[in-house]
Amino acid sequence: MAFRFHFTGEDLARTRVAGAMAAMVELNVAVRVLREGCTTGDVAAAVRISAASASEHTTVLRAAELVTTLRDRNTAIHTATAAGLTLLAAATG
């Protein structure tokens, strides 16, 4: 069974704007949390994603040297680096 959907240029523009606005909200939440230092669970809750997904994201950010991670037993605390804060400031205006 095949489904066909017809989207107008206006529909696509609305979808892009809505997606961009959602991304900005998530970025702003993440910025506030990472500035203060937070656990993987805090990141997940702030951006409304799974802990596993938040862990993957922080791994990528750490590899890019945008966050540092300190571990204490089974808890990881992530904090934005100076480079990460600079990038976040530029992204949020």
Side-chain angles (χ1 to χ4, degrees):
M1 177 180 279
F3 293 96
R4 290 185 174 230
F5 296 97
H6 177 72
F7 292 102
T8 66
E10 188 175 309
D11 293 331
L12 293 174
R14 273 195 218 113
T15 301
R16 287 185 184 124
V17 168
M21 289 174 67
M24 289 288 287
V25 168
E26 290 176 1
L27 177 62
N28 284 325
V29 170
V31 169
R32 278 187 273 131
V33 172
L34 287 171
R35 278 190 179 137
E36 299 169 6
C38 59
T39 66
T40 304
D42 294 334
V43 173
V47 187
R48 290 177 274 150
I49 58 177
S50 70
S53 185
S55 179
E56 290 175 6
H57 287 292
T58 56
T59 297
V60 170
L61 292 170
R62 190 171 45 259
E65 298 182 359
L66 298 175
V67 300
T68 59
T69 302
L70 297 174
R71 296 185 188 279
D72 181 25
R73 298 181 188 158
N74 65 341
T75 302
I77 304 293
H78 311 284
T79 307
T81 62
L85 292 173
T86 300
L87 183 62
L88 291 170
T92 57

